[in-house]
Amino acid sequence: QEQPGLIDRVLAPHRVAVRGAAEGDAATVRKSLDRWLGYHAGLRKRAESPTGAAWEPDKSLVVAARMKLRATQGSGALRTVIGIRDDMQPLEQGKQVVTIEADTSNVRRIALAWLAGTAAVGAAAAAVGLGNETTVLDNVGMGLGVLALGGGGVVLGIRMWMDRIRRALARAADAVANPQFLDTSDPVTKGITRILDFWRSARRDPRRPQ
């Protein structure tokens, strides 16, 4: 693979991927992968090939509400990228190699746009001194200060965003490799059931004042 450039290292690469091995035949591993990306990550399958699939954020109201209420085991970070691609290849008998790749070019574009805006604000501060009667050197210093503070904030924000995406990819690979830990029930249904059980038990409680 080609070496990452400066922007890739400081801000965001065009793509980021995770790869891992999963026990089971292709159909079993595909079922776990589809379950995680479709339900827990809040994505919708856009295209499919014999070895992989392309995913995009599912923008339906039901899925949006499910993710907002944290009714899944996913963080929702993979819904903030342009798209996801997965690929599955046989490694050996009863084991598959799964690759999950996120298209993060939108994160990169946003980072560059924010930096450009910060640079423009810094240049304006250096030119006019933000309306203060200061010397040229003071104005330049003020502009550099705005640029340093704003640029540092942009870099920190983008790095935190990319870290959430990387953790979400790693969590997806873990879920596919360890499906026994994957909760296949519907958390919303479970929550409603618990509320109804509590309400019924409260009605049957003889200590409850009539």
Side-chain angles (χ1 to χ4, degrees):
Q1 298 181 5
E2 63 183 26
Q3 293 297 319
L6 178 62
I7 296 179
D8 295 333
R9 295 194 303 269
V10 175
L11 294 177
H14 288 290
R15 290 177 175 82
V16 61
V18 65
R19 178 175 295 152
E23 299 280 351
D25 57 34
T28 300
V29 175
R30 167 54 61 184
K31 184 177 180 181
S32 298
L33 182 57
D34 286 356
R35 172 67 179 175
W36 181 266
L37 294 179
Y39 184 86
H40 292 283
L43 305 177
R44 181 178 68 87
K45 192 177 291 186
R46 180 169 52 82
E48 194 168 13
S49 71
T51 61
W55 301 78
E56 63 186 6
D58 190 333
K59 297 182 180 180
S60 67
L61 294 178
V62 173
V63 174
R66 183 194 304 152
M67 303 305 295
K68 192 71 175 178
L69 294 172
R70 300 183 182 276
T72 71
Q73 293 177 261
S75 66
L78 298 185
R79 289 166 54 82
T80 66
V81 303
I82 291 180
I84 299 288
R85 287 187 176 275
D86 70 63
D87 180 77
M88 188 168 57
Q89 301 290 338
L91 177 62
E92 56 188 48
Q93 186 66 31
K95 185 175 287 188
Q96 314 295 321
V97 174
V98 177
T99 303
I100 309 172
E101 182 182 74
D103 183 347
T104 55
S105 56
N106 63 319
V107 182
R108 185 187 182 100
R109 287 197 301 269
I110 290 173
L112 293 175
W114 283 354
L115 284 178
T118 302
V121 172
V128 302
L130 298 180
N132 295 325
E133 302 240 347
T134 55
T135 66
V136 173
L137 289 178
D138 289 335
N139 289 354
V140 171
M142 187 178 299
L144 291 176
V146 170
L147 182 58
L149 289 174
V154 169
V155 171
L156 178 60
I158 292 299
R159 285 188 173 180
M160 291 174 64
W161 187 357
M162 286 301 304
D163 185 56
R164 290 184 66 241
I165 294 171
R166 290 188 174 95
R167 288 203 309 267
L169 286 172
R171 181 69 182 90
D174 286 343
V176 176
N178 302 280
Q180 67 272 24
F181 299 118
L182 182 60
D183 186 1
T184 57
S185 61
D186 188 341
V188 175
T189 303
K190 288 170 60 178
I192 294 174
T193 301
R194 284 197 298 268
I195 293 174
L196 291 176
D197 289 342
F198 176 79
W199 179 70
R200 293 191 187 101
S201 64
R203 289 189 62 189
R204 292 193 298 266
D205 189 351
R207 295 172 298 179
R208 186 174 64 90
Q210 300 295 327

